[in-house]
Amino acid sequence: DAALEDRPGAMDMCRRALDADPDDVATLSRYGRLLQEDRGDYEEAERLYMRVLELDDSCTDVLYQLGRLLDEVRGDLSGAERMYRRALQVDDKHAGSLSALGLLLDEQGNSEAAEIFYRRAIGVAAEDVPTLYNLGVLLQTARGDAAGAAELYRRVLSLAPRDLETL
């Protein structure tokens, strides 16, 4: 999102826009993301995300961001899974939710379901380095498919040659 590139300016712009229209879904969403990613103000970000969902419960990016917050910050894996699945009910090709749900299921030991979601995510975003890498690890560790994993690692390295984790 180009408006998020100038982070300090974007924060100020969002505050001013919300003063003018406190129910603007796009601005609430952007501001929540800035608060979550830049400021680490998870309480306020979560409050803004919940407000967006009150106004528009089909906002896939907010469902995804809230899922990430619940997963990565709160440790609420079931809540995160619900958010990712809700996003996918609205848009079954939401790459972020597909990949995040794959990772969540993978971390819970459900490699079969994780592989399905990773592959669906790659079908939507073929050059998503983290998803390619995660599927490679799954193939290597859970499936014993060294050749399949190596092919994915080669793809990762061709897309991100300085990706130290893959090296």
Side-chain angles (χ1 to χ4, degrees), residues 112-132:
E112 288 180 21
E115 182 175 353
I116 291 168
F117 283 101
Y118 286 150
R119 290 191 185 279
R120 284 179 58 195
I122 292 167
V124 174
E127 296 185 353
D128 183 63
V129 169
T131 304
L132 290 165

Side-chain angles (χ1 to χ4, degrees), residues 60-61 63-65 67-68 71-72 80 83-85 87-88 91-104 117-118 120-122 124-125 128 130-131 134:
T60 55
D61 288 333
L63 290 164
Y64 166 69
Q65 289 296 338
R68 284 187 54 225
D71 180 4
E72 298 167 10
M83 292 300 110
Y84 298 143
R85 289 188 186 277
L88 293 171
D91 177 4
D92 66 351
K93 291 180 173 41
H94 190 269
S97 295
L98 288 165
S99 182
L101 185 54
L103 182 59
L104 187 139
F117 283 101
Y118 286 150
R120 284 179 58 195
I122 292 167
V124 174
D128 183 63
T131 304
N134 289 338

Side-chain angles (χ1 to χ4, degrees), residues 54-68:
E54 288 173 13
L55 297 166
D56 178 4
D57 67 351
S58 67
C59 191
T60 55
D61 288 333
V62 167
L63 290 164
Y64 166 69
Q65 289 296 338
L66 182 56
R68 284 187 54 225

Side-chain angles (χ1 to χ4, degrees), residues 70-90:
L70 293 172
D71 180 4
E72 298 167 10
V73 176
R74 304 269 185 260
D76 179 359
L77 301 183
S78 63
E81 182 175 349
R82 276 192 310 278
M83 292 300 110
Y84 298 143
R85 289 188 186 277
R86 278 181 60 190
L88 293 171
Q89 286 174 340
V90 175

